[in-house]
Amino acid sequence: MKKIALIIDDDKINNFVCEFLINKYVPNVEIVSKTSSSDGLKFIREQSKNISFLFLDLNMPEYDGWDLLELMKTENLVHFPIYIISSSVNTEDIHRSKKMPEIKNFFVKPLRSEDFDKINFGIN
Amino acid sequence: MKEGKHEELTLYYKGLIYSNLENATAIVTKEGNILSTNRRWKVMSKFLGNPSFLLKSNNLFKTFLSKNIILESDIEKLEKIYHWITDNKSKSFDLEIFIPKFGIWANLVLKKIDLNLVSITVKLDPKKHYKSFFDSSALAFILTDTEGNILTFNPTAIAHTIRFFNRRIQNSENIYSYILTTNKKSFEENFSFAKKGNRVQMEVQFYVDIDEIKYYLLNINPVSGLSNSFQYFTFELIDITHTKEIENQLFHTNLILKEASQVANLGAWYYDFKIQKLTLSDDVYRILHLNKIENPDIKLNFISRNRNFKDSILTAINECLTTEKEWDLELPYELQNGNLIWIRSLGKPIKINNNAIRLVGIIMEVTDKKNQDIERGKLINDLIFKNKELLQFSYILSHNIRAPMANILGLISVIEHNNISPHNQKVLELINQASFKMDDIIRDLGHILNLKDTNVNKELLQFKTIYDSTLSILSNKIIETSAIVTSDFKSEKYVYCLKSYLENIFYNILSNAIKYKHKDRILEVHFRTYSENNYIVLSAKDNGLGIDTVFFKDKLFGLYNRFHDHIEGKGMGMFMIKTQVEAMGGYVEFESTPNIGSEIKVYLRK
């Protein structure tokens, strides 16, 4: 069974770009995009073991990326590397993410092909 | 001795003593009994109140003591000498005695007449009496003639001349030689005024040491001579140094207080409960623009208009009377001309033995301060509001604007270029360029807006490290332009600073230098650090285009200002440097000469 690359972001255009790039650079993954935190969380609860990595946006309605991270941690759902993809150039967000070991890297949108050099997909 | 012989002798001596008209004389027997006296003696007895012992046939010594005419010690001396004479040890003797009852000195001359008889002559000396007063006085007295020649003086005068002039005052010296140059003019005036018969008083100074000054009051008193002209003058010195010092201190204290109250625009008042009297300093009237009145009352009726002002203070006074609470109020006060000023009123009770006996207080004008306070309050509110707006804008920029920008960039990057006409290919390329430019600006603005709380993330940084990383970031451009970049951070190696800011500062300096290089020569940039006052200075000097700093003074650090039309650039660099340096409490200086080069100095707080 194929591992899953999960994208949680309310920005559908970004999801489109991400899907394209993952398709191009990451072989053998099934891409799933969720456009809200709650949908994303629901999916993670079901498929936690099968997720290869997560691209997580920070700025979302309802609860944002940080909230989602907290929820995942309390429910012990983090079994995969998490990459933040944010349009924010706010250094505060970058510093905060550096303090969390679950977060492997912080990418400022748009995601570029070079960024994939820095991703460890844990596949193979 | 036979009676007849004795009578004869007595008569003889009587003649002898009667012939002594000037002085009182008595003949006294060996035992001390008065045998005979002359007229002068009788006059003297009368003068002394006719004491019986001075009369004929009384014993001189036995009664002297009991009548307290002369001092006990003098009687003993007198008796001793008397016996010396009667015992043939001495023929005559002079003795000075004091008669306390009259304060007179008397000179007693004892002479042996024969085996059994002694004559005693008394010379009263009233001058001697006064001289003793002079001699014992703590004031210095000097007597001179009209020319100021010194005739006599007392021991205190001697002590003074030794103390102040290191020499002993002498007769026939002149009083002028003891007057300091600074006092001479007024002394001459006063002395000539005294010669006309006036008692004059003046102040003189003497130096004990080069820096210790003594103040004296000098009284010059004319002493009338025989012919009613003034031939003699007494000079009387009274030490007033202590008084003078206190006076000086008081003068200065008073001066300082007065000046202070004027400078502070401060008026003082107090209210005495016992006599129910309100006392106001002149400054109170001045500050409140009121005319001074005789008896201001505690109901403050003397303050015209300004009902609210009066009521507020009266309330404070009443509250203070019941609860002994001090007050400190700032109240508006309307002047006659309708202008509004602010008055600060402070007051408190003064207690003795737990009873309030007085209310004391001050008022001062605080219009300027109050206006500033109001102004500052407005400004702060304004700033808080602006800051909130900025934060909001920053958020919008960072997310709502940045996000679609990122979308565009993302979409361009995933375009599949097959089947695109060369024209469209070109269009896409241009869209891509424009988008990147726009994104740069959005990111920069985000950085600017994020300048806050710069102390939190400061760390100790090595200039060399940041410099090296800057060189590597810009290595392409450096190689492209063959620029020579050098550095010297030996003087100041480290700085406590925000890393991202310092990186940005280095980046902007170097990229600006490359951007504005002179086309006719190879660019040289030299970075160095040094210490100046409380700052560590990062300087970068180049041989680039340079600009006219005088002409472009105001625009130098402006946002998006560029000085060279032919060069591509956003004009953000200088603005970013300035904003970030200032956010860390430093400042930037820029010197430049067109066609020569520029030097930028970044002052970073130590």
Side-chain angles (χ1 to χ4, degrees), chain B residues 407-425:
Chain B
N407 285 158
I408 293 170
L409 290 170
L411 289 170
I412 291 168
S413 76
V414 297
I415 285 173
E416 290 179 324
H417 292 262
N418 333 328
N419 303 327
I420 293 179
S421 70
H423 171 76
N424 284 350
Q425 185 71 40

Side-chain angles (χ1 to χ4, degrees), chain B residues 484-537:
Chain B
I484 302 164
V485 186
T486 53
S487 74
D488 176 5
F489 303 124
K490 278 190 211 89
S491 169
E492 291 293 335
K493 291 179 183 144
Y494 300 94
V495 69
Y496 196 70
C497 182
L498 259 149
K499 192 178 178 197
S500 61
Y501 284 11
L502 194 62
E503 283 171 346
N504 195 38
I505 288 163
F506 265 99
Y507 178 87
N508 278 308
I509 290 175
L510 191 54
S511 63
N512 263 1
I514 294 169
K515 222 176 272 169
Y516 302 116
K517 74 182 264 323
H518 201 286
K519 63 181 190 319
D520 297 339
R521 55 177 178 253
I522 286 175
L523 174 69
E524 288 175 23
V525 189
H526 182 65
F527 285 87
R528 69 192 174 100
T529 53
Y530 57 93
S531 173
E532 192 177 309
N533 299 328
N534 290 321
Y535 295 93
I536 291 171
V537 185

Side-chain angles (χ1 to χ4, degrees), chain A residues 7-22 31-37 39 55 57 59-61 85 87 109-111, chain B residues 403-404 406-408 410-411 414:
Chain A
I7 305 165
I8 302 175
D9 190 348
D10 61 325
D11 178 352
K12 285 174 186 155
I13 299 175
N14 184 61
N15 292 352
F16 169 77
V17 175
C18 285
E19 283 163 19
F20 178 87
L21 290 173
I22 292 168
I31 304 167
V32 177
S33 294
K34 297 290 174 190
T35 53
S36 78
S37 294
D39 285 352
F55 281 176
D57 183 32
N59 181 41
M60 285 182 285
I85 39 166
S87 60
K109 289 180 191 175
L111 199 62
Chain B
N407 285 158
I408 293 170
L411 289 170
V414 297

Side-chain angles (χ1 to χ4, degrees), chain A residues 11 13-14 16-17 20-21 24 58-59 86-93 95 108-112, chain B residues 395 398-400 402-403 405-407 409-411 413-414 416 439 442-443 446-447 450 452 457 500:
Chain A
D11 178 352
I13 299 175
N14 184 61
F16 169 77
V17 175
F20 178 87
L21 290 173
K24 193 168 173 187
L58 289 177
N59 181 41
S86 171
S87 60
S88 167
V89 287
N90 190 338
T91 43
E92 224 170 281
D93 287 334
H95 281 293
V108 176
K109 289 180 191 175
L111 199 62
R112 294 163 305 160
Chain B
Y395 187 85
S398 183
H399 296 99
N400 303 30
R402 173 71 182 108
M405 195 66 239
N407 285 158
L409 290 170
L411 289 170
S413 76
V414 297
E416 290 179 324
D439 192 41
I442 293 170
R443 282 168 186 250
H447 282 305
N450 273 325
K452 58 177 177 187
N457 298 317
S500 61

